[in-house]
Structure formats: C-alpha cells, structure tokens
Amino acid sequence: MGKIGVAVIVSSWVLAVSILLNHIVPQPYMDEIFHIPQAQQYCKGNLRSWDPMITTPPGLYIVSLAYVASLFPGLFSIKVDASFSEACSSSILRSTNGVLAVFCSILVYNILTHLRPSLNDRKVTLRTVVLALYPLHWFFTFLYYTDVASLTAVLASYLMSLKKKHFFSSLVGALAVLIRQTNIIWIFFIACTGVLDYILDEQKDSANLTDSSQSQGKDAFPVSSQGVGTRSNLRKRRIHNQAATFSSHTHQTIASTAVSSDFFHEVCEISSRLWQFKWELIASFWPYLIIIAAFVIFVFWNGSIVLGAKEAHTVSPHFAQLMYFSLVSVLFMTPVHFTIGQAAALAQSFCQKNKLVIFFQLCTALIVGFLSVHFFSIAHPYLVADNRHYTFYLWRKVIKSHWSMKYLLVPLYVYSWMSIFNILAKSRRKTWVLAYFLATAATLIPAPLIEFRYYTIPFFFLILHAHVDDDRSWLLMGILYVATNTFIMYMFLFRPFSWAHGAGVQRFIW
C-alpha cells in the first residue's frame, strides 16, 4: 500500500472522528481554553499577547498560522465576508493536529523503512497504521494540544538525522523545541545517535581499510590507468592513516565491539573515537550545539524551563515517574512483553551471565525501585484535585488503594524496564540504549505531574527500535489500541458529568 495507503487510512478516521467530536464538543475543553484563545490572538495579529497560564512556547500557534493561511484562500472563496481571524475557529485549529497526524504517520513509515529495509511494504504499512492508533497519540489528534505537533516535529528531525541531513534536522529540531521545550532533550538525543552512527561508520571504514591493507600490502588502494584512486583521495588518506596507527590488538577490539557484551569496553572505545574525530564531529553537528546553547540562554533569561504557571510546574525529583512510564509502555506492548516467550528470553539471558552479577543487578534494581516510590512519589495538586483525568482514578484506586500497593508494583516496574532493555539490546548498541534511558529519565523525572501524554515520544522511540517481527503481535496491539480508543472516545463524548458546584459539563480525558 505504501505511504499513500497509510495517508488515506489515517485520513479516513481523522476526518470521521473530527466531525463527530466537533459536533458534540464544539467549545474549547480542558487545556484548549488556553491554547485556542491564544492561537486566535495570533490570528488577529496580536503577537505580543500571551496567557500567563500557558507553559509551552508558541510553536503550535505559529504552525497553526501557516496552516490557516494555506486554507484561507479556499475558505474565503466559500464565505466572501470571512476574515483571517474568523477562519481560526476551534474546529479549524483542531484540524491542525489532524493534518499533522497524517504527516506523522508518513514520517513513521519512512523511519521504519530506513531502520528496517528488509521489511516489505505490507509489514511496514501494518506497523505504521498500528502506531498511528497508539491511544495517547490518537486521542489528542482531535483536540488542540501540543502533543501531536511535538511528536511530528521530533520524528521529522530524527528522520533527517538518519538520512544524515543534520542541518535540516536541527532546523526542524528548533521548531520542536519551540512547540514544547522539553523536546530539547530529544534533539540532544538525536544528535547523540547521529554521533554514534558517525563513529560506527568510521569504525567500519577503518576496519575495512585495514583488512584491505593486510590482504593487498602496499597496493591497498589500486590506481586506475589515469592515475586516479578509486576512492576519494582526501577520505582515503585520512582513513588510511588512521588505520595504520592502530595495532592488530586495536583492530580486533574494533571488530569485536559490535558483538561484544562488554558495555564498559564499548563506552571506552566510543570515548576514544569521540576525541579522535572531534573536529569532524563539530563540523557535522554544530547546528545542534547552537540550539542547545540557545536553550540554555533562554532558561537563564526566563528563570525556569516553563513559560507560565511556574509555581505549579517547578522541577521536582519525581523518580517514580520513570517507573510509571515503563509499566505503561509495556502494557501498550502487551503482546510483546507479557508473553511466555519474552519471560523465557529474559531468563535465558540471565543464565548466560554470572549468577552473582545477575543477583546483584536485580537487588540493585529492586532497591532503586523501592526508594523511588517511597521517597520520590509526588502527588501533584492537579493530580489529586481534577477527577476528569484517568490518572486521578489510577492514583486513588490503584496506587493509593493500600499503603503497600506502590511497593507491590515495584517488581512489575523492574520487570518492565528489564524487558525494555532486553528488546532494545537485540537491535541497538548498548550505548544507544543508555542514551535512550537517560533521555527518557531527563524528560520524565523533573515533571511533578503524572501525565501519560509525556510518555508519547519516548514510547515511539522505543517501539520504532524494538524489532518485533511477529505480525501477530502487531495485530494484537492494533486490536488493543482500537478497543482502548473506542472506550476512551465513548467516555469522552457520551458519558459527561457535572461537578457539584455547577461548573458545566465535564468529560473524562487522558
């Protein structure tokens, strides 16, 4: 089916559900009461207007301005007396995310094609459609929130980085940070993965040239009859000189790094390469450094990461958030993680290692988990006061149902992270897995509010790099997502309730 087929499938449900939702809930709801009026102020040309309750930068509103501008000629031809500001209605602004969701699905298709070139078109299409149904991404496609735009910008930056177009990747990355400031962490992560890929490519070139030198002696680089080398002279000389400086022991180390399980050796090898290629890396990745430096300057100038409502969004050591993310993520990948096969794979990987080391690692993970939930479980005022969110009920009915419950969940958290590490390690280098974990931690730990929307970007990086080749698992995940989406949308649209003090119709929301 390809990208066109994916776009048609996603567009079909985006259009149908959007019409239904805008008919039943035409007025701004929840955070939309801040975002929609702010975007409408921008549509009126009041670019200096700002609602102090908005915590994120104006990236989404800028994207909406461009989107409405593209629609305005058509809208004007339909309604002659329409003005640009009138075109920025709630339904039109919400449709921004609908269009972005379709574009995001195409990005996912391209990323999967790049990461898994061996997959046929049918398999890539299936995976893309399932990921487009991921409930936390799917639900906010129909509301005017920053989540869909944020994910789309980050994935676009990542795709360009995979294609080694780092300048354009950084430009889109700057837009991602302008949409949601915590995306600076994922832009830094994208830069790090680009650096790892660069080093890996150089290792392969050095190893291949060394092998070629050993097999051909002085004629390692054959020259054509015109006296021109078969490879680029500058690159040939640089890599050949690097290869000559390595002893046979170093060569064996490089050749074994890709398959070695020695994590510390891998870190040392990469650190050495970072220093060796420092100037080449700076020349290739300097645009990311500018974005990071600009963000640091902004934080010092602003006095906080968030723009508005700073008192309610102070940075807090919320280590338990990392535990919640692992469990939520593996639950949304239940056919992959909670199976007898996955449990057996984990047990087998443990048996292949030193039992004493495994016992120590398990004890350490459990201790860290217990300490995280005991000392660093934060009940944000928004969490315990707003019964429109599902996290309100999960907190009260599950985690707070009994004093021991949060401790009983720790082994499940530990299993979840071990299963995540096990799956990622099958397809990625251990340094990549470490970078992913640190990026996820840096995103979630400072956030005092338990908000599943924050899990979307790390979840997508997880599932895109988890090489799940079983179509049955993807089909089961698709069924799980459809069932979840149907339930959530039914509760949102058709099961409203009212607060006792008469604050109007309220609805359940993620």
Side-chain angles (χ1 to χ4, degrees):
M1 295 181 69
K3 289 181 284 189
I4 296 178
V6 167
V8 171
I9 294 172
V10 176
S11 298
S12 63
W13 73 56
V14 167
L15 183 62
V17 178
S18 294
I19 293 174
L20 179 64
L21 187 143
N22 284 305
H23 175 71
I24 298 176
V25 191
Q27 300 301 319
Y29 185 71
M30 287 288 287
D31 286 4
E32 284 188 322
I33 64 175
F34 306 113
H35 292 306
I36 289 179
Q38 182 61 60
Q40 291 172 339
Q41 288 295 320
Y42 274 43
C43 289
K44 295 177 181 178
N46 300 330
L47 300 182
R48 293 190 176 184
S49 172
W50 188 257
D51 188 333
M53 291 301 295
I54 297 176
T55 62
T56 52
L60 176 62
Y61 318 133
I62 296 172
V63 172
S64 296
L65 280 178
Y67 168 67
V68 174
S70 68
L71 294 178
F72 185 69
L75 295 173
F76 184 80
S77 65
I78 297 174
K79 186 178 181 182
V80 179
D81 59 341
S83 65
F84 188 85
S85 60
E86 290 174 340
C88 294
S89 63
S90 297
S91 59
I92 293 296
L93 290 174
R94 284 173 174 173
S95 68
T96 304
N97 281 335
V99 174
L100 288 174
V102 176
F103 183 60
C104 185
S105 66
I106 297 174
L107 290 173
V108 170
Y109 182 94
N110 288 332
I111 291 172
L112 285 172
T113 302
H114 187 95
L115 294 175
R116 303 295 305 278
S118 61
L119 291 177
N120 59 43
D121 182 72
R122 180 184 63 83
K123 290 180 179 291
V124 177
T125 301
L126 170 64
R127 286 152 174 73
T128 303
V129 171
V130 170
L131 289 179
L133 288 167
Y134 173 63
L136 293 168
H137 171 66
W138 185 87
F139 181 82
F140 290 101
T141 294
F142 312 106
L143 296 177
Y144 195 61
Y145 277 58
T146 61
D147 301 87
V148 176
S150 174
L151 175 65
T152 303
V154 170
L155 291 183
S157 177
Y158 185 52
L159 177 61
M160 292 181 186
S161 176
L162 289 175
K163 294 182 176 181
K164 304 191 186 311
K165 299 178 181 179
H166 297 296
F167 179 76
F168 294 103
S169 172
S170 63
L171 287 180
V172 180
L175 175 61
V177 176
L178 198 59
I179 294 172
R180 181 176 287 173
Q181 56 270 57
T182 53
N183 286 339
I184 189 66
I185 297 168
W186 294 108
I187 301 308
F188 183 70
F189 170 77
I190 290 171
C192 289
T193 58
V195 169
L196 289 176
D197 289 340
Y198 183 95
I199 292 174
L200 182 61
D201 290 342
E202 293 294 343
Q203 284 182 342
K204 290 179 180 178
D205 288 339
S206 297
N208 291 337
L209 278 170
T210 304
D211 290 340
S212 177
S213 298
Q214 291 175 349
S215 61
Q216 299 182 25
K218 294 182 180 179
D219 296 327
F221 296 99
V223 179
S224 64
S225 57
Q226 289 81 10
V228 180
T230 59
R231 301 184 63 177
S232 169
N233 286 334
L234 290 176
R235 182 171 178 80
K236 176 184 69 177
R237 290 171 185 167
R238 178 170 64 85
I239 298 177
H240 182 64
N241 290 335
Q242 292 165 358
T245 61
F246 289 112
S247 63
S248 60
H249 171 72
T250 305
H251 167 61
Q252 293 171 1
T253 299
I254 296 171
S256 65
T257 298
V259 297
S260 175
S261 61
D262 188 348
F263 172 70
F264 294 104
H265 171 76
E266 186 175 314
V267 171
C268 292
E269 180 65 26
I270 289 176
S271 299
S272 174
R273 287 285 181 162
L274 284 174
W275 177 254
Q276 182 179 358
F277 295 110
K278 54 185 178 296
W279 301 119
E280 291 90 339
L281 292 173
I282 291 174
S284 298
F285 296 93
W286 63 266
Y288 298 105
L289 298 177
I290 292 178
I291 296 175
I292 294 170
F295 180 79
V296 172
I297 294 172
F298 159 77
V299 172
F300 276 102
W301 171 80
N302 187 52
S304 174
I305 294 178
V306 299
L307 271 74
K310 296 178 182 179
E311 297 79 9
H313 295 85
T314 57
V315 174
S316 306
H318 196 181
F319 288 93
Q321 184 95 268
L322 205 56
M323 304 292 132
Y324 307 147
F325 163 77
S326 66
L327 182 56
V328 170
S329 295
V330 298
L331 286 175
F332 278 120
M333 295 175 65
T334 294
V336 177
H337 292 280
F338 290 108
T339 63
I340 296 176
Q342 178 61 10
L346 280 175
Q348 184 179 7
S349 67
F350 291 158
C351 292
Q352 295 174 351
K353 300 176 183 178
N354 187 304
K355 290 184 172 58
L356 184 61
V357 173
I358 292 299
F359 178 77
F360 175 76
Q361 290 176 342
L362 285 174
C363 288
T364 301
L366 289 171
I367 291 172
V368 170
F370 280 116
L371 292 176
S372 296
V373 300
H374 182 76
F375 292 106
F376 302 103
S377 292
I378 298 176
H380 194 279
Y382 290 177
L383 172 68
V384 298
D386 196 340
N387 64 345
R388 292 172 294 183
H389 287 279
Y390 287 99
T391 49
F392 170 88
Y393 300 96
L394 290 173
W395 179 263
R396 292 188 60 189
K397 303 295 184 181
V398 179
I399 296 177
K400 284 296 183 179
S401 61
H402 189 268
W403 69 266
S404 62
M405 181 55 67
K406 65 179 181 179
Y407 303 109
L408 294 176
L409 289 172
V410 169
L412 197 55
Y413 300 147
V414 172
Y415 171 83
S416 299
W417 267 119
M418 287 188 170
S419 183
I420 289 172
F421 289 149
N422 178 264
I423 286 180
L424 288 178
K426 293 178 181 178
S427 59
R428 311 303 299 180
R429 295 164 65 89
K430 289 180 173 60
T431 44
W432 190 98
V433 178
L434 175 63
Y436 167 77
F437 175 77
L438 293 177
T440 303
T443 302
L444 300 179
I445 291 175
L449 180 63
I450 300 175
E451 182 62 83
F452 289 167
R453 295 185 294 120
Y454 301 161
Y455 304 167
T456 300
I457 292 178
F459 176 82
F460 266 77
F461 274 107
L462 165 62
I463 199 168
L464 285 171
H465 293 88
H467 286 186
V468 181
D469 295 322
D470 181 13
D471 286 348
R472 177 177 173 273
S473 296
W474 284 98
L475 287 172
L476 290 175
M477 280 192 289
I479 294 171
L480 172 64
Y481 294 171
V482 170
T484 303
N485 292 335
T486 302
F487 171 78
I488 295 298
M489 191 56 70
Y490 170 76
M491 295 296 290
F492 179 76
L493 294 178
F494 304 111
R495 300 288 296 189
F497 63 94
S498 298
W499 279 335
H501 50 75
V505 176
Q506 308 300 326
R507 302 175 186 276
F508 296 105
I509 195 170
W510 272 111

